[in-house]
Amino acid sequence: MTAMKAYGHIKNLDQIKNTFKECKSHYRLGRNMYPQYIQSVLQTGDLSTAYKAYREFMDHLKMKEVSSCLAEIVSECVIRNNLELALRATSEFQEKQLEWDTYALTRTKKALWAGYSHLIPVDSTINTESIERFTTLYIDKLNDKNQPTRLKKLFTPAHLYVLFQLFSINVLPSIKTFNYLLECQSLDNQYGKVKSILSMMQSSNIQPDSFTVSILLRTFGSSLSGEDKMTLYHILSAADKKMDIDVHKTFLKIFTDIAHVKKSTEVLFTAKEQGVGLSEDSYMTILSGYIKKGAIEKGFKVLNDSHVNNMDCYAMLFEAFLERGQLLDCIIHYRELKKAKPAYMHAIETNRRIFKAVLTANIARRDWPRCRSLLHSRHIEFTPKTIMRIMNVLLGLKYKDQYIMDGKDMVKALECMENSLKVYLNSQGISRLIMVMGDRGECEACYSLYNYVRSDPASNKRCASSKLYLAMMDAAVKNSDGRKLERAWVDMQYRSQYTRPDRELKKEIHSLSAYNILLNGYASLLPRPDLTKTKRVFKKILNQNLIPDTGTYNILIKAFVNSDNIEAAYKILYKMIKSGIKPDSYTTNTILTGIINSQDWGSVEKFIQQMKRLKLASHFDIITYNLLLQGFLHLDSRTLDYVHLLKLRHKWERAERIEKRNASRALSSADVWNIFESATGYKRSDVLDTAEDPPSIYLRKDMDYPDLCKQLVSLDLPTSSHEEQPKTPNAFVQLFSNSSNIKPDAATYKLFIKAFTIAGDKHSASKVYQWMHHHSLK
């Protein structure tokens, strides 16, 4: 011990370690040796080594001796400005719930308080008032987004909880401090800590106030019924004649979230009676409740009766009309607002949200003269982003589940805004519009937009970008339109003309990636790929002296698989391997898809064994798992895609014929359940018994605050943990002997939802959907 002390004074860490090691190998160490070793190492300034030794020695020391060693480490860490390590050590000690030595506790508290006093201006004495101030300033720092990264690590909800536990030993914190801490842990979803804080309040006989209960209600209130929530509000109102504004706002949000307009309005009037002035945010909260209920007109009445002049509140309602497809109502109420508030005419006309909502409503009604008039007399600045936002809203507008704007009108809307404003979308914005309309099956409209952009003299820059052509090709592939795919592919070779003053046509040779896009387009055509053109493009690739890559071979394999020519797909695979190009998971999964579609399960197993011999079994993943499952469930993805495409083209009779033909092959609901149990390992009863509604509790009107707290805390905690996957010997995932970690994902459950829907069992489909969300798979 004397030698270690001496080596500690001269900061010789190696000699300290050697001395301790030598003693340990020859003698039975006394308990005093462990603290002395830590103290000597600390003297050298090597905090991490001391901390590591402290953790290793914990089992050799008595509880109070552990706290003494901790105090040594924390004190030295604070002196050497390593507050993070001091907090880590203290947190571990607190989590183990070890007993404190009185002197060690005092020393640790003082050290951490002193460490934070350099960052937070607090008194040197730890008492009720100083803890309250410390907590307030700590949370301010925690919420400061502009803090340096090194300080952010010192201000976290977890650290605050540890510090509070420590500082409040032998000191009684105020209700305000408890409330700050409760809110902080609640916002961080630390529900267990919320319960611990409430237990501390109860043991300290600290009576909760209305703000405490409002925090608990936000945390656990989802388990209360609407009536119980209103009862709770009445209890608080009766007990506290002038509740804090935050409590009113909490209840406003709660009733708005459950779309209880009547109760949220009652809270509003109660607040007024108590003389509490609600902010504009509170009115917006109420309005969102009216919007959820579809009572938008009543929202206008509340704003007018309350003499609210914040135009953003009105903008919420105009935007709500748009979302619901009530275009004329949006326009009429805009006129009425201008008549009702002539003194606020400038505020109305310069409010960006209101103007954009009204303009969008007029565009959606195809009132082009009115649109041009609004644009020419506007009082707001327009940028390409503004136009893009309006176009995005127009794309999503629906009425009775039908899109209000078709692709042709979308093109006309863009022309109207660009020509009136002389402001133009960039290539990225145009590409986005083409791709979205392509997803909607409006390939003709995509092509019209494509041609409009390329014919506009102001479009030089956006036409020179490859994004425009790639988007058009993507839309053509999705809609199985080979002609438009070819046109865009050829046009892309001449896009450099838009960067030349003389518009000289100069052809650029396409790269391999561009050839792969064209190749993929032909391979993806529905109902069958164009093999003739696929082979022709592949020959062009070779003639251009381009070397096919993994993507090229994968597309060729895909083309033959989609043509039901598995033998040819095999030949491409072996040619690929022979060329020195290693197949990837897409390669093996594509071939597997073709074999599965033929329902030849013997060939499936044979193929898997073959891939194992070629050392390609590592490519079998969750996608492979789902492909097998898709085959067992008789879900042919290409047929489903083709039916979807026919419906987008309004070829209903042909789509119906194919669906009827597939219905004859569909599995029964019982068969789907059997596959579900085998594939996932879960029983049918587990899924069908999934709870839909959270439990409710009963609240008496004569209940006091402590009883309320006990009731609320007794509710089930929200959970984010995933349940473990049960093991079953029958699960077909055993086909993947090297992939025992494969578990069903969201795509897996969606396949079952589809299978149950086709089988006509919507109840089971709904239950599987609930199960998927219960397991946080979305």
Side-chain angles (χ1 to χ4, degrees), residues 38 145 195 259 271 489 563 613 749 751 767:
I38 292 170
K145 304 299 180 187
K195 285 192 170 187
W489 191 83
S563 300
R613 284 196 297 274
Y749 289 109
L751 287 173
K767 282 293 183 180

mmCIF file of all heavy atoms in Angstrom, residues 38 145 195 259 271 489 563 613 749 751 767:
data_model
loop_
_atom_site.group_PDB
_atom_site.id
_atom_site.type_symbol
_atom_site.label_atom_id
_atom_site.label_comp_id
_atom_site.label_asym_id
_atom_site.label_seq_id
_atom_site.Cartn_x
_atom_site.Cartn_y
_atom_site.Cartn_z
ATOM 1 N N ILE A 38 -7.307 2.350 -6.370
ATOM 2 C CA ILE A 38 -8.103 3.338 -7.115
ATOM 3 C C ILE A 38 -7.601 4.747 -6.829
ATOM 4 O O ILE A 38 -7.430 5.568 -7.744
ATOM 5 C CB ILE A 38 -9.601 3.199 -6.753
ATOM 6 C CG1 ILE A 38 -10.149 1.860 -7.289
ATOM 7 C CG2 ILE A 38 -10.419 4.370 -7.323
ATOM 8 C CD1 ILE A 38 -11.531 1.516 -6.802
ATOM 9 N N LYS A 145 -31.209 24.156 -28.278
ATOM 10 C CA LYS A 145 -30.715 23.382 -29.435
ATOM 11 C C LYS A 145 -29.367 23.894 -29.957
ATOM 12 O O LYS A 145 -28.714 23.224 -30.754
ATOM 13 C CB LYS A 145 -31.732 23.439 -30.585
ATOM 14 C CG LYS A 145 -33.123 22.975 -30.214
ATOM 15 C CD LYS A 145 -33.126 21.524 -29.755
ATOM 16 C CE LYS A 145 -34.522 21.054 -29.386
ATOM 17 N NZ LYS A 145 -34.528 19.714 -28.785
ATOM 18 N N LYS A 195 -43.441 7.169 -12.712
ATOM 19 C CA LYS A 195 -44.043 6.481 -11.566
ATOM 20 C C LYS A 195 -43.150 6.587 -10.322
ATOM 21 O O LYS A 195 -43.645 6.777 -9.205
ATOM 22 C CB LYS A 195 -44.275 5.015 -11.916
ATOM 23 C CG LYS A 195 -45.460 4.800 -12.851
ATOM 24 C CD LYS A 195 -45.808 3.325 -12.922
ATOM 25 C CE LYS A 195 -47.134 3.135 -13.642
ATOM 26 N NZ LYS A 195 -47.613 1.749 -13.603
ATOM 27 N N ALA A 259 -61.432 14.407 -30.893
ATOM 28 C CA ALA A 259 -62.439 15.077 -31.737
ATOM 29 C C ALA A 259 -63.734 15.324 -30.977
ATOM 30 O O ALA A 259 -64.828 15.177 -31.532
ATOM 31 C CB ALA A 259 -62.697 14.262 -32.999
ATOM 32 N N ALA A 271 -62.363 28.616 -19.340
ATOM 33 C CA ALA A 271 -61.141 29.416 -19.238
ATOM 34 C C ALA A 271 -61.469 30.898 -19.271
ATOM 35 O O ALA A 271 -60.904 31.696 -18.507
ATOM 36 C CB ALA A 271 -60.192 29.057 -20.375
ATOM 37 N N TRP A 489 -35.767 7.811 -73.954
ATOM 38 C CA TRP A 489 -34.400 7.283 -73.952
ATOM 39 C C TRP A 489 -33.588 7.902 -75.097
ATOM 40 O O TRP A 489 -32.438 8.294 -74.914
ATOM 41 C CB TRP A 489 -34.458 5.760 -74.099
ATOM 42 C CG TRP A 489 -33.158 5.069 -73.849
ATOM 43 C CD1 TRP A 489 -32.644 4.711 -72.647
ATOM 44 C CD2 TRP A 489 -32.218 4.626 -74.834
ATOM 45 N NE1 TRP A 489 -31.431 4.072 -72.812
ATOM 46 C CE2 TRP A 489 -31.142 4.005 -74.155
ATOM 47 C CE3 TRP A 489 -32.166 4.694 -76.227
ATOM 48 C CZ2 TRP A 489 -30.038 3.464 -74.800
ATOM 49 C CZ3 TRP A 489 -31.064 4.152 -76.879
ATOM 50 C CH2 TRP A 489 -30.018 3.544 -76.181
ATOM 51 N N SER A 563 -41.092 -14.369 -68.746
ATOM 52 C CA SER A 563 -41.603 -15.073 -69.933
ATOM 53 C C SER A 563 -41.808 -16.556 -69.655
ATOM 54 O O SER A 563 -42.049 -17.345 -70.586
ATOM 55 C CB SER A 563 -40.615 -14.916 -71.097
ATOM 56 O OG SER A 563 -40.440 -13.568 -71.427
ATOM 57 N N ARG A 613 -24.533 -25.132 -52.827
ATOM 58 C CA ARG A 613 -23.310 -25.719 -53.371
ATOM 59 C C ARG A 613 -22.441 -24.660 -54.050
ATOM 60 O O ARG A 613 -21.217 -24.742 -54.037
ATOM 61 C CB ARG A 613 -23.671 -26.824 -54.376
ATOM 62 C CG ARG A 613 -24.138 -28.116 -53.713
ATOM 63 C CD ARG A 613 -24.109 -29.275 -54.702
ATOM 64 N NE ARG A 613 -25.021 -29.077 -55.813
ATOM 65 C CZ ARG A 613 -26.307 -29.412 -55.799
ATOM 66 N NH1 ARG A 613 -26.832 -29.980 -54.702
ATOM 67 N NH2 ARG A 613 -27.070 -29.211 -56.856
ATOM 68 N N TYR A 749 -46.595 -9.684 -43.152
ATOM 69 C CA TYR A 749 -47.970 -9.553 -42.671
ATOM 70 C C TYR A 749 -48.885 -8.976 -43.749
ATOM 71 O O TYR A 749 -50.067 -9.322 -43.831
ATOM 72 C CB TYR A 749 -47.996 -8.687 -41.403
ATOM 73 C CG TYR A 749 -47.390 -9.392 -40.212
ATOM 74 C CD1 TYR A 749 -46.161 -9.002 -39.697
ATOM 75 C CD2 TYR A 749 -48.031 -10.471 -39.613
ATOM 76 C CE1 TYR A 749 -45.588 -9.664 -38.620
ATOM 77 C CE2 TYR A 749 -47.473 -11.132 -38.534
ATOM 78 C CZ TYR A 749 -46.256 -10.735 -38.040
ATOM 79 O OH TYR A 749 -45.703 -11.394 -36.973
ATOM 80 N N LEU A 751 -48.706 -9.585 -46.877
ATOM 81 C CA LEU A 751 -49.057 -10.699 -47.760
ATOM 82 C C LEU A 751 -50.254 -11.465 -47.195
ATOM 83 O O LEU A 751 -51.169 -11.849 -47.932
ATOM 84 C CB LEU A 751 -47.858 -11.643 -47.924
ATOM 85 C CG LEU A 751 -46.698 -11.139 -48.788
ATOM 86 C CD1 LEU A 751 -45.519 -12.104 -48.700
ATOM 87 C CD2 LEU A 751 -47.119 -10.972 -50.237
ATOM 88 N N LYS A 767 -57.636 -8.169 -38.355
ATOM 89 C CA LYS A 767 -56.936 -8.606 -37.137
ATOM 90 C C LYS A 767 -55.426 -8.705 -37.360
ATOM 91 O O LYS A 767 -54.630 -8.347 -36.495
ATOM 92 C CB LYS A 767 -57.484 -9.957 -36.677
ATOM 93 C CG LYS A 767 -58.819 -9.856 -35.965
ATOM 94 C CD LYS A 767 -58.679 -9.129 -34.652
ATOM 95 C CE LYS A 767 -59.962 -9.073 -33.867
ATOM 96 N NZ LYS A 767 -59.794 -8.354 -32.581
#
